[in-house]
């Protein structure tokens, strides 16, 4: 976790401090990590899984942090001379609250304990409307964990997948065997969560297909199937039943660029007359592709051959987002950081159908080969790397000249 000093608007690097709040040891190698936000809280929780199949949902506890810091401040003067290496926290009580924890292998004896581990897994995706989490841990299955929106992270509850922040998890069988990436599309609340899967067939061709996640029925609504209309069990219920998008709008694209490995969901056009189903950007080795079946649009921008490993959206904290421009930072295997720009057909006055018109792919500079990218605002980017040192870099408005000879420029 990081903190940003927003009280000082000066762009001087000496005033832009990112103090370290907490370093937390995890018993295991983290394979997937994402944030989940509940409606009764102003802060996010972290949900992560480990290589051994364990999971946990944690959050930062300000109350415990204040207690630790108060106790430390009261004893620092006496303990400093006796123990110069005294910790900032009392004992091993880190200011972290665990809301759920356990192991997937203990949840089901038939699927998770005896299944074959996914070759390209584990993969994880969270519905943008915070309705469920999808995980691909074993071949032929997607594990769906419904999120309890009414959960209050400030209360103490029983931990586990079936109570508290999560409802009963279930394992949905899928026909796609070799999954490379998955992402939830951004949709309206009227639709079921739409899970897009990038998979590879036996001949080596790669495709993208989208299935609906029916949390109430504990199953998947496949692309070619027709969802039956269900009568509401409670006539007084104010929540309308969720449904699948029209069959001709469900996202699907075949034989994408070979070597593609990442899906980036793109919000649907803001126009009321347009589709309520978003599209995806596909990061390939030779091209970047945007596709939306609902809009009937495919946009392609060629790139130099490279393996794109990570991405993150570029969003400032001031909330002054430009509706006609979406930006993403993308990292490749050589450590280069690129800027992907998605342009929409929206005028400054807010007119236009909002459809994607153009893609731009520009190289900004080099850093460590990134396993993860996080944009922190004001041009600052955290580059997390499993192949080298993690870095905190800043994107400048003007290029920095490289001196020292032609060999310095790569």
């Amino acid at each position: 976790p990081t903190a940003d000093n927003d009280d000082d608007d000066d762009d001087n690097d000496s005033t832009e401090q990112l103090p370290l709040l907490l370093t937390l040891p995890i018993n295991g190698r983290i394979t997937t990590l994402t944030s989940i936000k509940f409606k009764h809280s102003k802060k996010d929780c972290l949900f992560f899984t480990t290589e051994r199949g364990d999971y946990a949902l944690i959050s930062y506890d300000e109350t415990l942090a204040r207690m630790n810091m108060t106790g430390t401040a009261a004893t620092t003067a006496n303990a400093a001379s006796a123990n110069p290496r005294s910790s900032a926290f009392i004992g091993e009580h880190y200011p972290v609250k665990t809301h759920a924890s356990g192991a997937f292998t203990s949840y089901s004896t038939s699927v998770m304990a005896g299944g074959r581990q996914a070759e390209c897994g584990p993969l994880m995706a969270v519905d943008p409307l915070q309705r469920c989490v999808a995980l691909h841990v074993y071949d032929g299955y997607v594990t769906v964990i419904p999120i309890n929106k009414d959960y209050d992270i400030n209360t103490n509850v029983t931990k586990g997948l079936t109570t508290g922040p999560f409802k009963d998890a279930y394992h949905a069988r899928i026909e796609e065997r070799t999954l490379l990436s998955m992402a939830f599309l951004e949709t309206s609340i009227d639709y079921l969560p739409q899970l897009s899967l990038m998979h590879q067939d036996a001949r080596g061709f790669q495709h993208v297909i989208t299935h609906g996640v029916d949390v109430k029925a504990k199953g998947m609504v496949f692309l070619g199937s027709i969802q039956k209309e269900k009568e509401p069990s409670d006539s007084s219920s104010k929540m309308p039943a969720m449904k699948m998008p029209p069959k001709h709008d469900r996202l699907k694209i075949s034989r994408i660029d070979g070597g593609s490995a990442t899906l980036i969901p793109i919000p649907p056009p803001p126009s009321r007359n347009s589709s309520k189903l978003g599209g995806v950007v596909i990061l390939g080795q030779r091209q970047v592709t945007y596709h939306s079946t609902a809009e009937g649009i495919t946009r392609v921008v060629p790139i130099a051959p490279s393996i794109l490993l990570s991405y993150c959206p570029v969003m400032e904290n001031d909330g002054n987002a430009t509706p006609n421009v979406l930006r993403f930072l993308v990292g490749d295997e050589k450590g280069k950081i690129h800027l992907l720009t998605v342009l929409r057909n929206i005028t400054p006055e807010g007119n236009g159908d909002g459809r994607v018109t153009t893609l731009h792919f520009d190289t900004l500079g080099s850093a460590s080969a990134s396993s993860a990218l996080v944009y922190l605002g004001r041009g600052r980017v955290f580059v997390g790397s499993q192949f080298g040192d993690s870095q905190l870099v800043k994107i400048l408005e003007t290029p920095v000249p490289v001196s020292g000879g032609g060999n310095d420029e790569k």
Side-chain angles (χ1 to χ4, degrees):
T2 59
D4 188 0
N5 182 12
D6 289 330
D7 296 334
D8 196 336
D9 295 333
D10 190 2
D11 287 337
N12 192 327
D13 290 342
S14 61
T15 63
E16 295 185 1
Q17 299 178 1
L18 291 170
L20 179 64
L21 290 182
L22 175 65
T23 299
L24 180 68
I26 300 296
N27 186 19
R29 179 176 178 268
I30 295 178
T31 52
T32 60
L33 184 146
T34 189
S35 62
I36 298 177
K37 188 171 185 178
F38 297 90
K39 65 180 182 180
H40 296 296
S41 174
K42 296 182 180 179
K43 61 183 178 182
D44 293 356
C45 296
L46 286 180
F47 179 77
F48 63 88
T49 63
T50 65
E51 197 173 33
R52 294 182 298 179
D54 299 324
Y55 69 89
L57 179 72
I58 63 176
S59 66
Y60 186 74
D61 192 337
E62 297 91 344
T63 302
L64 183 58
R66 286 194 296 267
M67 293 173 57
N68 286 337
M69 297 304 296
T70 302
T72 302
T75 59
T76 296
N78 297 329
S81 57
N83 184 13
R85 296 184 179 182
S86 59
S87 173
F89 298 108
I90 300 175
E92 296 182 356
H93 299 284
Y94 292 92
V96 170
K97 180 182 291 186
T98 302
H99 304 275
S101 63
F104 291 115
T105 53
S106 62
Y107 183 73
S108 172
T109 58
S110 59
V111 177
M112 304 304 289
R116 175 185 174 186
Q117 289 191 358
E119 182 178 353
C120 299
L123 304 173
M124 180 167 59
V126 180
D127 175 46
L129 298 179
Q130 306 288 299
R131 292 174 289 185
C132 62
V133 179
L135 294 129
H136 176 59
V137 183
Y138 288 82
D139 280 341
Y141 291 92
V142 169
T143 303
V144 179
I145 307 176
I147 298 176
N148 183 6
K149 290 185 176 182
D150 295 327
Y151 175 74
D152 187 355
I153 67 174
N154 296 319
T155 60
N156 295 323
V157 296
T158 305
K159 304 174 181 127
L161 280 177
T162 58
T163 58
F166 301 128
K167 300 179 182 179
D168 292 340
Y170 64 91
H171 312 293
R173 183 178 291 274
I174 56 175
E175 298 178 355
E176 296 77 24
R177 302 294 295 182
T178 305
L179 293 191
L180 304 175
S181 178
M182 64 182 188
F184 278 101
L185 298 182
E186 299 203 22
T187 67
S188 67
I189 193 64
D190 301 332
Y191 291 153
L192 292 172
Q194 299 295 300
L195 182 62
S196 286
L197 307 175
M198 180 193 297
H199 65 99
Q200 182 171 298
D201 60 24
R203 294 178 295 177
F205 296 113
Q206 297 178 0
H207 319 274
V208 177
I209 193 170
T210 304
H211 303 311
V213 179
D214 195 339
V215 175
K216 291 185 178 180
K218 294 188 176 182
M220 303 280 285
V221 182
F222 297 106
L223 179 70
S225 61
I226 301 176
Q227 184 187 23
K228 296 181 180 180
E229 297 292 337
K230 298 180 181 180
E231 294 294 334
S233 57
D234 185 4
S235 58
S236 63
S237 177
K238 297 182 180 180
M239 290 295 295
M242 291 182 290
K243 59 183 180 180
M244 285 291 290
K247 192 173 181 180
H248 60 274
D249 286 352
R250 302 176 191 178
L251 192 143
K252 179 182 180 181
I253 181 172
S254 300
R255 295 198 177 187
I256 59 178
D257 178 30
S260 300
T262 305
L263 295 176
I264 302 178
I266 301 297
S271 174
R272 294 183 178 179
N273 298 327
S274 60
S275 171
K276 298 180 181 180
L277 190 63
V280 292
V281 166
I282 305 169
L283 300 182
Q285 289 188 0
R286 295 179 296 272
Q287 66 184 35
V288 175
T289 305
Y290 168 80
H291 177 76
S292 173
T293 303
E295 300 173 16
I297 292 177
T298 300
R299 300 284 185 262
V300 177
V301 55
I303 63 174
S306 59
I307 302 176
L308 305 179
L309 302 176
S310 58
Y311 82 93
C312 73
V314 178
M315 300 180 63
E316 296 294 345
N317 297 328
D318 55 10
N320 296 326
T322 307
N324 65 326
V325 180
L326 300 175
R327 295 184 175 90
F328 301 89
L329 294 176
V330 181
D332 63 19
E333 87 283 6
K334 297 179 181 179
K336 293 183 178 179
I337 298 179
H338 313 273
L339 178 64
L340 171 63
T341 305
V342 182
L343 300 180
R344 294 177 178 271
N345 181 26
I346 302 177
T347 63
E349 294 78 16
N351 300 323
D353 55 13
R355 297 188 176 187
V356 173
T357 58
T358 311
L359 301 178
H360 292 286
F361 195 81
D362 304 300
T363 302
L364 301 180
S366 297
S368 298
S370 59
S371 304
L373 294 173
V374 180
Y375 185 75
L376 303 175
R378 297 182 181 177
R380 294 164 297 183
V381 182
F382 173 74
V383 181
S385 177
Q386 294 178 339
F387 316 102
D389 294 334
S390 298
Q391 298 174 317
L392 181 64
V393 301
K394 184 170 183 178
I395 301 174
L396 304 178
E397 296 182 358
T398 57
V400 176
V402 178
S403 60
N407 294 332
D408 293 341
E409 188 172 355
K410 299 180 181 180

